[in-house]
Amino acid sequence: PADIDRARCTIINIRYEYGFVRAAFPGAPMTTIIHDNFEAQCRLPWRGHITDALARTCRASDRVLVVSTPLQRRLSLWCKPELFLPWSVEAYREPAADMARRTDVAFWGYVDTAVDLDMVRRVAHAIEARGEGGRVLLIGPTEKAHRRERIIRALADAPNIEVRERTDLDRLPLDSLLAAILPYVDSESVRSVTLANKSMQLLARGLPLLISSMPEFVQKPFILRLDGEVPIATVLERCHAGFLGWQSDIRAFVESNSPASRLKSLGVTADGSTE
């Protein structure tokens, strides 16, 4: 529109092929957000035009924000990309300090084909061996009923695994949870994950994260690997020993990844004005 003061605009671009916007708004700061799906298309042998368009857009942008560290490395050919991770929609809330009750772990998300059932089973057996009556809770929907039935059958040999329907986070038995688990099947998309979408909500409840696959995942003392050289039983012991001591670091991490911090990354203040 003719009445737009183009010199005072801030451009937030989410398209890989919109490098031309720079010419239309020559004086406005332009921030481009790129995710892995776009970049993955660039690497297909018959999609060279996408690579060229993405390169032009990155070079035309004042800032390029990316959602994973592999993407950050690859786009550094054309710009200096910055990480733009999922933020916490919840404020940190200190968990109850009664560690004697914390015997369970929970997966909270889509209970579907992306979940590594073998890893879930291994975690369940390690919890059973602790002799404290702990459980693995798989909480969430499944896209198709027959898949859910197959998942339940596949886990029948571990009676301390419970598959539950979708439940709001604050309705979970949070005081009995030792950690949240993110046990995903290895795949190309999983290998790029730097912070899973649910992570900040779980951390905001004070829950450490136990992960598998996802080699690019954020590294913090309160994020432990289930598929490393350390036995799962030892991982659980470390989680139990460190749970309360990690809370100050978890709080700081959640608070440093607030919605306001992401607005600042976009050049916008909390009241909606531009910087």
Side-chain angles (χ1 to χ4, degrees), residues 70-214:
L71 192 53
Q72 185 180 37
R73 288 194 295 270
R74 290 194 287 264
L75 266 60
S76 64
L77 292 170
W78 309 312
C79 58
K80 295 181 179 179
E82 305 168 41
L83 279 176
F84 189 71
L85 299 175
W87 56 88
S88 180
V89 297
E90 307 277 356
Y92 170 84
R93 189 173 72 200
E94 189 170 0
D98 185 1
M99 292 304 300
R101 297 178 59 189
R102 296 192 178 279
T103 58
D104 303 336
V105 301
F107 171 82
W108 185 63
Y110 275 90
V111 182
D112 218 314
T113 54
V115 176
D116 185 341
L117 299 184
D118 181 61
M119 179 60 72
V120 171
R121 193 180 294 106
R122 290 169 59 194
V123 172
H125 292 331
I127 288 177
E128 184 179 28
R130 290 170 63 88
E132 299 175 350
R135 303 166 295 173
V136 176
L137 308 178
L138 302 182
I139 303 165
T142 307
E143 184 179 1
K144 297 180 179 179
H146 73 274
R147 287 184 187 168
R148 194 171 187 88
E149 293 169 0
R150 187 164 62 242
I151 289 169
I152 292 171
R153 288 197 303 270
L155 298 173
D157 62 329
N160 61 331
I161 297 176
E162 296 182 16
V163 182
R164 299 185 179 184
E165 296 297 330
R166 184 200 302 264
T167 306
D168 290 343
L169 183 57
D170 284 332
R171 295 185 63 187
L172 302 186
L174 294 173
D175 291 350
S176 76
L177 294 183
L178 177 63
I181 59 172
L182 302 175
Y184 290 112
V185 174
D186 183 45
S187 66
E188 183 174 357
S189 60
V190 164
R191 291 183 208 119
S192 296
V193 172
T194 304
L195 193 67
N197 290 333
K198 302 282 187 179
S199 301
M200 295 306 301
Q201 291 169 270
L202 297 164
L203 289 168
R205 295 297 176 265
L207 296 175
L209 304 181
L210 309 183
I211 70 170
S212 65
S213 301
M214 301 182 290

Side-chain angles (χ1 to χ4, degrees), residues 18-88:
Y18 270 30
F20 65 86
V21 173
R22 164 57 65 225
F25 294 82
M30 176 173 167
T31 298
T32 293
I33 306 172
I34 298 294
H35 58 76
D36 293 270
N37 288 348
F38 285 155
E39 197 276 337
Q41 293 181 64
C42 296
R43 287 180 281 138
L44 296 175
W46 59 89
R47 297 291 181 91
H49 64 289
I50 295 180
T51 303
D52 292 340
L54 178 57
R56 286 194 298 271
T57 299
C58 288
R59 289 169 178 146
S61 303
D62 296 286
R63 302 178 74 189
V64 175
L65 306 179
V66 295
V67 300
S68 72
T69 50
L71 192 53
Q72 185 180 37
R73 288 194 295 270
R74 290 194 287 264
L75 266 60
S76 64
L77 292 170
W78 309 312
C79 58
K80 295 181 179 179
E82 305 168 41
L83 279 176
F84 189 71
L85 299 175
W87 56 88
S88 180

